[in-house]
Amino acid sequence: MLALVGVIVGLVAPDIVMAIYLVRQKRAHELADRKESEGKQHHDLVRLYSDPLKDAATSLRHRLKEIVEQKQAPYLLADAPGIPFLDYKRISTLYRIAAVLGWIRAIRRERSYLDPQQASPSSGRTAPRRAAAV
């Protein structure tokens, strides 16, 4: 009887052990695939917003270099003449600042929609609510 039980256990045990091993291996592969997919999604999101943000920041950098280093910003003074080109430069400067801030805000909002747990508290979502309550 003991020999029969030993033979049955010897025949069935490897199948059970192998099945458990294969299930664990399959689960590990699924988790690795999920992490890879999430990493690719994050990378794609960063690429989606990085080029426009880079372009906006480069444009603002050129304007700030003109203002700070070259000191060519009479259009920012209160008594600037009403020449259309100077009006354009002033509005363009404000637009460039707004574009950079807008892309930063868009990235933060998108990030908070995709992964709210990783969104930083300084993302701007909580600050206006506190200010409105005060």
Side-chain angles (χ1 to χ4, degrees), residues 51-90:
D51 290 339
L53 176 61
K54 180 185 71 90
D55 293 341
T58 300
S59 176
L60 179 61
R61 182 179 59 91
H62 288 303
R63 183 56 54 90
L64 290 176
K65 181 179 178 182
E66 176 183 307
I67 292 170
V68 175
E69 290 179 9
Q70 299 172 358
K71 304 204 185 316
Q72 297 178 355
Y75 50 87
L76 295 177
L77 300 174
D79 59 346
I83 300 171
F85 179 72
L86 295 181
D87 290 339
Y88 158 77
K89 293 282 274 192
R90 183 177 61 254

Side-chain angles (χ1 to χ4, degrees), residues 5-6 9 13 17 21 27 37 39 49 53-54 61 64 66 71 79 82 88 107-109 114 122-123 126:
V5 171
V9 169
V17 170
Y21 171 75
R27 189 175 355 162
S37 173
Y49 287 99
L53 176 61
K54 180 185 71 90
R61 182 179 59 91
L64 290 176
E66 176 183 307
K71 304 204 185 316
D79 59 346
Y88 158 77
I107 291 169
R108 285 183 175 167
R109 288 187 72 134
L114 290 179
S122 64
S123 66
T126 56

